[in-house]
Amino acid sequence: MSDTHAQTVRFVRDSMLPQAAPPAGQAGAVRWLRENLFSGWLNTILTVLGLIAVFFLLRGLVPWFAHSVWNANTLTECREIIAQIWGPDARGACFAVVRDRWQQWLFGFYPAHLYWRPVLALVLLFVALAPVLVPGMSRRLMAVSAIYPFLGFWLLWGGSMWLPVVALLGFVIGWVVWRALRGVSPLLAIIAAVIVPVLWWLLAAAPVDRALSSAIPLGIDAVRSDRFGGFVLSLTIGVAAISLSLPLGIALALGRRSDMFLIKTMSVCFIEFIRGVPLITLLFTASLLLNYFLPPGTSFDIILRVIIMVTLFAAAYIAEVIRGGLAALPRGQYEAADALGLNYFQAQRLIVLPQALKISIPGIVSTFIGLFKDTTLVIFVGLLDPLKGITDAVRASMEWKGIYWEPYIFVGTIFFIFCFGMSRYSMYLERRLKRDNR
C-alpha cells in the first residue's frame, strides 16, 4: 500500500489478520480457575484455606467409608471384621446396622405382614401426583388424585371401608351444593359448599358409617397410630400437610388482601398468631390440650391432630409467601381484569393467581422443604420419627448399642433425596413457566 493511500484512507483495512488461538490464560480450565478461584488475593487465600479444610476432612472420611462393613449382626462383630481386615487400629463405618434395621427406619413398628399397604400407598401417591406435576398427562387421572387421600388413609390405617367413603361423600355433597348455587351467588355458593359438608361430617357421617358397617361389613385389618413410625410417619404427615396447607395458604393470602374488614382482620390475626408461636408449642397443644375442647369420650387420632396443627402452621407461612407474589404483580394486571369485565373470582383464577403463584414458587417450595424436615419434631408428642425416635430405638438395642454416625447418615441421606428432589422440581417448574428472556 502506497504512503499517499495510507495517509488518505487511514481507517480502511484491505486485509485481515489470520485467526489465532486465544491465550492459554483466557480459555478452558485455566480461565475458569482464574475467574472463580484465583481472581484476587482474597479469593486466592480463601481457596487455599478451603482446599486445606477439604483435605483434612477427606483424610478422615475416605478411610472411614472405605473400611465400611455391610454384613454383620452386631456392632462388636463389625469392629472385629474391621480389625481383622485392615488392622487393629483401623476405623470404619458399620453400615450393617442399616442392612439389619432398614425396615424399622422405613416402617417403624408397622406390622411386617402388612408392609404391602404403605408401599402400595406410596406407589399410588406418585400416580395421583402425576397429573398435577407432570405436563401433558391425561386429565382423567385427576379422578385418581381426588380419590387418593381417602384411599391412602384406608390403606394405612385400615378398618372399615365405609369410613373414607362417608368422608368422601361429604365433599361430593359440597360440590353438588356449589354447582346448584353458583348461578345465584358465587360467594353464597362457596359458603354453603363449606358449611354443608362440615354439618354432614359432624352430624350424619358417624351414624351412616355405623349403619353401613353393620349392614355390609367390608374392611381390612386396622393398624393403630402408635404402630406408625419412621418414614411412613414422616411421609404421611408431610404429604398431608403440604397438600392441605397450599390451598389454605392461598385462601389466607387472599383474605389478608381483602377489602372486607372482618375477613381481613381474621386472616391477619390467624397468620400473625401462628407465625409468632413455635411449631413445637402447636404440637404440644395438639397432643395435650385439644382433647379438653372436644366432647367427653371423643377419640381424636394423635396423627390427625398433628397433621391439623402442622397444616395450620405451614399455611400461615405460605400465605405470606403468596401475599408477596400478589404484591409483586403490577397494578395493570388488576385493571386489565376489570376492563375485561371479570368478577373477583374469575380475575383471581384466570389472571392474578397464576402469575402470583409463579412468582412465589421458590418461597412455597422452601416452606414445603422446611415442613417436611419439621416432621421430625413429632418425637416431642410421643410419635417415633425416623431421625430421633427410630434411631434411638435402634441404638438402644443390645446388638447396636454404641453406634452413632451411621444411623444419622442413613436418615439424613433419605431426607436429602426427598428435599433435593423437591428443589430440583421447583427449578424445572420455574424454567417451564418462564415467559420472558430476562
Side-chain angles (χ1 to χ4, degrees):
M1 181 182 296
S2 64
D3 294 339
T4 303
H5 184 66
Q7 292 175 2
T8 57
V9 191
R10 299 187 174 202
F11 304 101
V12 177
R13 174 177 298 193
D14 59 1
S15 62
M16 297 296 294
L17 294 175
Q19 187 175 1
Q26 298 298 323
V30 176
R31 179 183 178 182
W32 186 89
L33 290 172
R34 287 183 56 188
E35 292 182 351
N36 295 278
L37 299 180
F38 303 99
S39 59
W41 66 269
L42 180 60
N43 201 1
T44 301
I45 293 175
L46 293 176
T47 299
V48 173
L49 292 177
L51 291 175
I52 293 174
V54 170
F55 169 76
F56 282 105
L57 185 64
L58 293 179
R59 189 175 68 171
L61 288 179
V62 170
W64 190 72
F65 280 104
H67 300 163
S68 299
V69 175
W70 290 86
N71 293 304
N73 296 318
T74 63
L75 179 60
T76 303
E77 185 178 345
C78 258
R79 291 172 176 172
E80 291 175 354
I81 294 174
I82 294 172
Q84 181 180 359
I85 298 177
W86 289 285
D89 296 329
R91 298 181 60 190
C94 185
F95 287 115
V97 64
V98 176
R99 187 174 179 270
D100 184 53
R101 297 296 183 91
W102 65 269
Q103 300 98 330
Q104 199 167 353
W105 268 299
L106 295 185
F107 301 101
F109 296 97
Y110 207 88
H113 67 285
L114 299 178
Y115 281 170
W116 64 270
R117 282 164 43 177
V119 171
L120 179 59
L122 180 62
V123 173
L124 292 177
L125 171 64
F126 290 109
V127 176
L129 291 176
V132 179
L133 302 180
V134 180
M137 293 293 293
S138 174
R139 296 293 99 181
R140 296 178 180 177
L141 287 176
M142 290 297 294
V144 179
S145 303
I147 296 174
Y148 175 77
F150 308 95
L151 179 59
F153 169 84
W154 183 60
L155 285 173
L156 291 174
W157 274 272
S160 172
M161 184 188 70
W162 299 112
L163 178 60
V165 171
V166 171
L168 176 61
L169 190 58
F171 288 97
V172 174
I173 294 173
W175 178 78
V176 171
V177 171
W178 175 78
R179 286 290 298 268
L181 297 178
R182 66 175 180 172
V184 179
S185 170
L187 181 60
L188 177 62
I190 293 176
I191 295 175
V194 173
I195 294 178
V196 172
V198 171
L199 294 177
W200 165 264
W201 293 322
L202 291 177
L203 303 177
V208 172
D209 175 45
R210 287 193 295 268
L212 291 174
S213 299
S214 301
I216 311 175
L218 295 176
I220 54 179
D221 294 341
V223 179
R224 301 192 313 272
S225 292
D226 58 1
R227 306 299 298 274
F228 281 63
F231 282 100
V232 166
L233 178 64
S234 292
L235 285 173
T236 300
I237 297 174
V239 171
I242 287 173
S243 303
L244 297 173
S245 62
L246 180 59
L248 182 57
I250 293 174
L252 288 170
L254 295 177
R256 184 159 190 168
R257 292 175 60 87
S258 174
D259 295 330
M260 300 180 182
F261 176 78
L262 181 60
I263 293 179
K264 181 176 182 178
T265 302
M266 292 177 60
S267 300
V268 170
C269 292
F270 175 85
I271 292 172
E272 296 303 328
F273 173 76
I274 295 296
R275 293 175 69 228
V277 177
L279 176 58
I280 190 172
T281 303
L282 298 178
L283 293 178
F284 276 123
T285 301
S287 175
L288 303 175
L289 301 180
L290 197 59
N291 281 339
Y292 289 105
F293 300 95
L294 298 174
T298 302
S299 178
F300 203 8
D301 189 85
I302 179 62
I303 296 180
L304 182 58
R305 282 180 273 166
V306 168
I307 289 174
I308 292 173
M309 288 301 179
V310 173
T311 298
L312 297 178
F313 181 82
Y317 284 87
I318 290 176
E320 288 299 278
V321 172
I322 296 176
R323 186 170 70 93
L326 293 171
L329 287 183
R331 182 63 188 172
Q333 297 296 315
Y334 297 91
E335 295 172 352
D338 294 336
L340 291 173
L342 302 178
N343 60 33
Y344 176 81
F345 298 101
Q346 291 173 333
Q348 295 295 333
R349 181 172 63 89
L350 299 175
I351 295 179
V352 177
L353 279 180
Q355 298 181 74
L357 292 177
K358 183 181 74 171
I359 296 172
S360 307
I361 286 175
I364 292 173
V365 175
S366 296
T367 304
F368 286 166
I369 291 175
L371 169 62
F372 182 62
K373 292 187 294 185
D374 285 343
T375 57
T376 56
L377 295 177
V378 298
I379 182 63
F380 292 104
V381 294
L383 297 176
L384 298 179
D385 72 300
L387 182 64
K388 183 67 174 174
I390 299 299
T391 297
D392 284 354
V394 172
R395 294 179 63 227
S397 63
M398 294 302 298
E399 296 84 358
W400 303 107
K401 195 172 185 64
I403 201 164
Y404 190 78
W405 289 107
E406 294 85 343
Y408 293 111
I409 291 174
F410 172 69
V411 175
T413 301
I414 302 297
F415 271 106
F416 174 79
I417 291 172
F418 281 104
C419 296
F420 185 74
M422 285 190 280
S423 175
R424 292 295 98 182
Y425 178 79
S426 72
M427 296 179 66
Y428 156 76
L429 195 60
E430 289 182 69
R431 291 192 300 268
R432 189 170 68 87
L433 296 177
K434 191 173 183 180
R435 291 295 182 265
D436 53 24
N437 295 323
R438 291 176 295 175

